[in-house]
Amino acid sequence: MALNDNIKKFREEKNLTQQLADKLYVSRQTVCRWENGSRCPDLITAKKLALELDVSMDELISDEDVNDIQVNYGIWKSERIKDKKHLQALQKKILDFIQIVGAVFLAITILLRVQLDMRVPVWCTIICFIIVAVAFLCNFIVSKKLREM
């Protein structure tokens, strides 16, 4: 569907004939020329036309059905945006988790060395290292998915 078909379709839906031409301050022949495709309204008139027909400019000039546009672009795009925001939130949580684990390990190390004059047990270091490594791997995977979007 092109502009001329859309003008005709929306005009007929609103049951407008001569009134549309009068509201736009153009002749009935001008509207007829728009509908048969021999002429196109200028941008300002097209905007007024969209307002009179109670449709958006996208709907007026689109060569696709409005429902197809929503299915193909609107819903898909909103789902993609939701997925991207979800992944960004997940990445922030992972980085916060890494920061907390590092801070806890540092606090334990300082507490043991300064207060108790002990070394940090090897098992504690290994566990913290494994936890941080897994978190970094998760962050890498999430970052890769974000780059692909």
Side-chain angles (χ1 to χ4, degrees):
M1 218 182 255
L3 173 64
N4 58 330
D5 295 326
N6 287 340
I7 292 172
K8 185 173 184 174
K9 181 180 97 173
F10 293 130
R11 181 186 58 78
E12 288 174 349
E13 286 176 3
K14 296 286 184 188
N15 293 323
L16 297 172
T17 50
Q18 182 64 41
Q19 304 96 329
L20 182 61
D22 291 341
K23 289 179 180 184
L24 298 173
Y25 302 106
V26 296
S27 68
R28 189 177 54 79
Q29 290 80 10
T30 301
V31 175
C32 183
R33 288 185 191 118
W34 295 341
E35 290 179 357
N36 69 27
S38 63
R39 298 265 192 254
C40 290
D42 61 69
L43 188 59
I44 294 169
T45 307
K47 180 66 176 172
K48 290 177 185 176
L49 181 60
L51 288 171
E52 288 300 326
L53 296 173
D54 197 29
V55 295
S56 68
M57 284 289 287
D58 288 338
E59 291 172 301
L60 185 65
I61 63 174
S62 175
D63 59 351
E64 294 184 42
D65 188 25
V66 176
N67 295 328
D68 291 342
I69 292 172
Q70 276 190 324
V71 169
N72 292 337
Y73 301 105
I75 295 171
W76 175 79
K77 190 174 180 180
S78 67
E79 287 298 319
R80 190 171 173 197
I81 290 170
K82 286 178 189 175
D83 290 344
K84 190 171 184 175
K85 286 183 180 181
H86 174 72
L87 287 174
Q88 287 172 337
L90 182 62
Q91 187 177 33
K92 184 178 179 343
K93 288 177 184 177
I94 291 170
L95 293 174
D96 288 345
F97 176 75
I98 292 171
Q99 191 174 13
I100 290 169
V101 169
V104 168
F105 182 73
L106 182 64
I108 290 171
T109 303
I110 291 172
L111 176 73
L112 290 176
R113 290 296 272 172
V114 173
Q115 296 296 323
L116 304 175
D117 199 27
M118 292 176 51
R119 286 192 155 171
V120 177
V122 174
W123 63 268
C124 184
T125 305
I126 292 172
I127 289 175
C128 283
F129 178 76
I130 291 171
I131 290 171
V132 169
V134 169
F136 270 112
L137 180 64
C138 292
N139 186 49
F140 175 76
I141 292 168
V142 169
S143 295
K144 188 175 178 182
K145 285 184 180 181
L146 276 170
R147 278 191 304 268
E148 290 173 357
M149 293 186 103

